[in-house]
């Protein structure tokens, strides 16, 4: 799948335009697929689609298996007779069409969903029970979310000891107490995945494949950790012993403190990596290709003592390496996986990537700091890689020309044979498309020629990320005509 020349566009669902506060799996998602097809594209890459929690990051979710209810399209629910337009059309979803207001979404979406639920229980779809039975993770997830609601959103680490530690009597009591609320959360997942698979089917019929994204870690406050504590390094109170992050580097003097619990790889190995197999099985049904975030963490992962305020004091521990991937390949065969191999890389990480056979990532914005030695400069690429102009953690190309060092920008201009900042945008995209890399992925922000105002995430910061949305200008025919021309010119059709 990834060994032929092709290209695609990175555009998260939340960033699609629309009138209900956030991008959804509605008509604009289908329009985007039509645009990709016209532009000779093969892939639509998105970020994780799981429910967002505090901080709104798709990489910190209440569940690695669940879908984000915010992406449920309300117009589709109207067409199916489950709600009316009056249930949502007078809501002031956001003060600006180009940004998501998550606070408003949290309040107003659930008001609409409560009306949806009232109608749903009167006319339960015939395939609903089958959906519940097919998704065994749903019981723990719906119970987790229901208990969280009963505790005003408090982390499960603050719950009463009996239910925090999943005492059987306590579980029975809470299931009975939360039965109706559990059905509410199950219903949301039913509608999410119904709309998701309809969208995916449309994409696949139009020869567009979806690249999904799996964060290597799960959130500390998640149904995954609560329901599977033995899979993680926790103490007797279900509190992480160590958490994940990255050590200090040139980009961050304090390092990156992610706060996710790290895996108990010894236990995972003893159980045949059952939990990871379950996770991959689900993901392979949802996506056509999977990007695994922080691939280097499978070779060695950085651990920080729980309670630390920075990532300065930590240590590296060995990961499962090829033992995990051999076990996964034994079950699933050759998996369509992209390895996010960015960051601090050792020869051992390079060896793991080679042994896995997965294509790694090349980010063009990283190519110009020390051009003569950079692994990201196009003439050093191998075919088995994915080239990006930037990822969700990078600035836009135009923003990069304003915020990178003068040396980097001048080096890029020299390499790309341009003199103006704005000309770097298209030429950097063309450099990716023309490279030897089998796959090239461009961002929608760069295709629109936008600056830092369209950046979706700045690592190690909170409060102003994951908000950017495109306007109707993203459907400008000239954009896709340009993309289609260069895609064909460089043999990626």
């Amino acid at each position: 799948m990834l060994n032929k020349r092709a290209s695609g566009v990175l555009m998260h669902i939340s960033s699609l335009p629309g009138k209900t506060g956030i991008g959804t799996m509605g008509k604009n998602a289908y329009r985007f697929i039509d645009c990709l097809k016209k532009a000779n594209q093969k892939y639509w890459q998105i970020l994780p689609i799981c429910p967002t929690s505090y901080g709104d990051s798709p990489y910190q979710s209440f569940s690695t298996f669940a879908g984000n209810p915010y992406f449920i399209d309300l117009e589709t629910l109207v067409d199916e007779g489950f709600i009316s337009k009056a249930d949502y059309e007078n809501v002031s979803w956001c003060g600006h069409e180009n940004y998501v207001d998550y606070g408003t979404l949290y309040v107003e979406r659930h008001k609409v969903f409560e009306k949806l639920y009232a109608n749903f229980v009167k006319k339960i779809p015939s395939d609903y029970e089958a959906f519940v039975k097919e998704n065994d993770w749903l019981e723990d997830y719906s119970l987790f979310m229901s208990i969280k609601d009963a505790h005003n959103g408090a982390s499960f680490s603050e719950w009463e000891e009996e239910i925090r530690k999943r005492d059987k009597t306590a579980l029975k009591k809470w299931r009975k107490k939360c039965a109706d609320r559990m059905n509410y959360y199950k219903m949301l997942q039913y509608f999410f995945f119904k709309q998701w698979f309809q969208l995916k089917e449309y994409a696949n019929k139009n020869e567009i494949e979806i690249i999904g994204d799996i964060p290597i870690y799960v959130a500390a406050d998640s149904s995954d950790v609560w329901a599977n504590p033995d899979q993680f390094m926790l103490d007797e109170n279900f509190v992480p012993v160590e958490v994940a992050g990255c050590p200090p580097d040139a980009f961050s003097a304090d390092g990156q403190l992610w706060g996710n619990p790290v895996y108990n790889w010894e236990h995972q190995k003893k159980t045949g990596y059952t939990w990871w197999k379950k996770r991959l099985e689900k993901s392979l049904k949802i996506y056509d290709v999977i990007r695994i975030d922080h691939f280097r963490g499978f070779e060695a992962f950085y651990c920080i003592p729980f309670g630390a305020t920075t990532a300065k004091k930590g240590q590296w521990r060995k990961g499962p390496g090829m033992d995990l991937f051999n076990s996964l390949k034994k079950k699933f065969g050759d998996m369509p996986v992209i390895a996010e191999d960015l960051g601090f890389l050792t020869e051992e990480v390079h060896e793991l990537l080679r042994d896995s056979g997965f294509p790694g990532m090349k980010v063009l914005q990283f190519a110009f700091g020390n051009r003569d030695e950079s692994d990201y400069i196009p003439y050093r690429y191998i075919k088995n890689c994915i080239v990006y102009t930037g990822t969700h953690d990078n600035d836009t190309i135009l923003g990069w020309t304003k915020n990178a060092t003068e040396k980097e920008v001048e080096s890029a201009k020299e390499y790309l044979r341009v003199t103006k900042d704005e000309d770097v945008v298209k030429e950097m995209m063309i450099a990716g498309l023309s490279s030897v890399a089998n796959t090239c992925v461009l961002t929608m922000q760069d295709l629109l020629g936008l600056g830092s105002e369209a950046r979706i995430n700045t690592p190690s910061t909170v409060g102003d990320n994951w908000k950017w949305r495109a306007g109707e200008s993203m459907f400008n025919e000239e954009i896709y005509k340009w993309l289609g021309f260069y895609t064909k010119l460089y043999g990626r059709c």
Side-chain angles (χ1 to χ4, degrees):
M1 185 175 292
L2 292 164
N3 62 4
K4 297 179 181 179
R5 286 184 68 78
S7 59
V9 177
L10 170 58
M11 174 69 168
H12 193 36
I13 295 172
S14 66
S15 296
L16 289 166
K19 297 180 179 179
T20 56
I22 195 169
T24 70
M25 298 177 285
K27 63 182 182 182
N28 283 330
Y30 287 81
R31 285 179 69 191
F32 184 51
I33 291 169
D34 292 340
C35 290
L36 293 176
K37 183 179 181 180
K38 288 179 183 177
N40 301 315
Q41 299 307 290
K42 179 68 173 176
Y43 299 112
W44 175 10
Q45 181 167 337
I46 58 176
L47 303 183
I49 58 173
C50 38
T52 50
S53 59
Y54 312 109
D56 312 313
S57 170
Y59 294 88
Q60 295 282 354
S61 175
F62 292 131
S63 169
T64 189
F65 295 98
N68 191 338
Y70 291 160
F71 298 159
I72 295 172
D73 184 62
L74 303 184
E75 288 185 7
T76 302
L77 296 178
V78 172
D79 293 340
E80 294 175 345
F82 285 102
I83 59 172
S84 68
K85 281 192 175 182
D87 291 331
Y88 66 86
E89 64 181 356
N90 293 322
V91 176
S92 178
W93 291 105
C94 187
H96 198 296
E97 69 172 359
N98 292 125
Y99 297 98
V100 178
D101 183 340
Y102 286 99
T104 298
L105 273 181
Y106 180 78
V107 174
E108 299 297 339
R109 266 297 201 277
H110 282 287
K111 288 180 182 178
V112 177
F113 291 152
E114 293 288 357
K115 295 173 183 177
L116 169 63
Y117 184 61
N119 296 326
F120 173 82
V121 294
K122 296 175 185 176
K123 189 180 70 172
I124 297 176
S126 58
D127 58 346
Y128 172 70
E129 288 302 323
F131 169 79
V132 173
K133 289 180 180 178
E134 289 170 4
N135 293 276
D136 57 357
W137 54 268
L138 198 52
E139 187 72 13
D140 282 322
Y141 168 71
S142 61
L143 180 58
F144 175 85
M145 295 301 295
S146 300
I147 300 173
K148 178 176 278 292
D149 286 349
H151 287 80
N152 297 314
S155 169
F156 86 83
S157 63
E158 300 177 28
W159 298 352
E160 297 84 1
E161 182 177 3
E162 292 79 8
I163 190 59
R164 173 164 46 84
K165 292 188 175 182
R166 297 178 61 85
D167 174 79
K168 289 183 179 180
T169 301
L171 285 170
K172 185 177 181 180
K173 182 186 78 171
W174 277 99
R175 285 193 183 101
K176 184 176 181 180
K177 180 180 179 180
C178 297
D180 188 62
R181 193 63 175 171
M182 288 176 68
N183 284 331
Y184 169 79
Y185 280 107
K186 291 176 182 178
M187 172 207 70
L188 291 180
Q189 292 305 303
Y190 167 79
F191 280 113
F192 174 90
F193 282 108
K194 179 181 179 182
Q195 291 190 9
W196 171 261
F197 283 113
Q198 288 173 343
L199 180 65
K200 183 178 182 295
E201 181 181 21
Y202 183 80
N204 292 165
K205 281 184 176 179
N206 283 278
E207 299 184 315
I208 302 296
E209 292 172 352
I210 296 177
I211 302 175
D213 196 320
I214 299 181
I216 184 174
Y217 294 117
V218 299
D221 184 29
S222 66
S223 59
D224 309 300
V225 176
W226 178 64
N228 306 278
D230 51 353
Q231 304 290 341
F232 305 90
M233 295 299 290
L234 311 177
D235 65 18
E236 65 276 6
N237 293 312
F238 287 18
V239 175
V241 176
E242 295 176 314
V243 294
C246 284
D249 56 23
F251 300 100
S252 175
D254 289 334
Q256 296 181 35
L257 179 60
W258 300 336
N260 309 78
V262 296
Y263 293 107
N264 183 342
W265 285 117
E266 184 178 344
H267 176 81
Q268 295 243 3
K269 183 174 182 177
K270 287 180 180 178
T271 56
Y273 302 107
T274 302
W275 187 85
W276 265 94
K277 287 175 180 176
K278 182 178 177 182
R279 193 181 190 196
L280 262 291
E281 184 174 33
K282 175 74 173 178
S283 297
L284 288 167
K285 290 179 181 177
I286 296 174
Y287 310 117
D288 298 299
V289 180
I290 301 168
R291 171 192 180 272
I292 300 183
D293 190 51
H294 197 58
F295 181 81
R296 74 101 53 243
F298 295 107
E299 192 283 317
F301 53 98
Y302 190 68
C303 300
I304 305 152
F306 179 76
T309 57
T310 73
K312 286 183 176 180
K313 294 183 179 180
Q315 59 183 309
W316 290 95
R317 300 192 188 281
K318 294 298 289 184
M322 275 306 298
D323 191 61
L324 168 65
F325 296 114
N326 285 334
S327 184
L328 294 175
K329 288 185 177 186
K330 188 173 181 179
K331 179 175 176 62
F332 300 112
D334 289 331
M335 299 174 292
V337 166
I338 297 170
E340 188 272 287
D341 59 336
L342 308 176
F344 173 66
L345 304 183
T346 62
E347 179 52 38
E348 290 83 0
V349 179
H350 291 303
E351 183 179 355
L352 177 62
L353 183 66
R354 288 192 296 267
D355 291 345
S356 72
F358 302 144
M361 292 174 53
K362 304 295 183 184
V363 178
L364 273 168
Q365 288 186 27
F366 296 162
F368 304 105
N370 190 353
R371 202 172 69 197
D372 293 337
E373 298 179 9
S374 175
D375 288 335
Y376 299 104
I377 202 76
Y379 61 75
R380 286 203 172 92
Y381 293 174
I382 60 172
K383 289 184 178 181
N384 188 33
C385 72
I386 318 292
V387 58
Y388 295 80
T389 48
T391 72
H392 62 275
D393 285 333
N394 294 106
D395 207 336
T396 65
I397 298 175
L398 185 60
W400 178 84
T401 65
K402 311 298 182 185
N403 298 312
T405 66
E406 183 179 353
K407 178 184 176 182
E408 287 178 288
V409 177
E410 289 306 311
S411 177
K413 288 179 179 176
E414 182 180 47
Y415 185 86
L416 299 170
R417 308 165 314 283
V418 298
T419 57
K420 298 178 181 178
D421 287 358
E422 53 268 31
D423 292 337
V424 173
V425 179
K426 286 188 176 180
E427 290 303 326
M428 190 179 285
M429 290 191 286
I430 291 171
L433 289 167
S434 64
S435 74
V436 72
N438 280 335
T439 308
C440 174
V441 177
L442 308 178
T443 73
M444 194 67 231
Q445 294 99 311
D446 289 337
L447 288 166
L448 289 166
L450 300 176
S452 297
E453 75 281 358
R455 182 170 185 164
I456 199 165
N457 182 52
T458 303
S460 299
T461 67
V462 294
D464 203 31
N465 296 319
W466 318 110
K467 294 181 178 181
W468 176 76
R469 297 181 67 202
E472 288 291 322
S473 61
M474 73 168 283
F475 297 118
N476 184 330
E477 190 171 325
E478 289 303 309
I479 293 173
Y480 301 98
K481 187 177 180 181
W482 179 90
L483 178 58
F485 173 80
Y486 282 102
T487 299
K488 185 176 181 180
L489 180 65
Y490 293 115
R492 295 188 180 276
C493 291

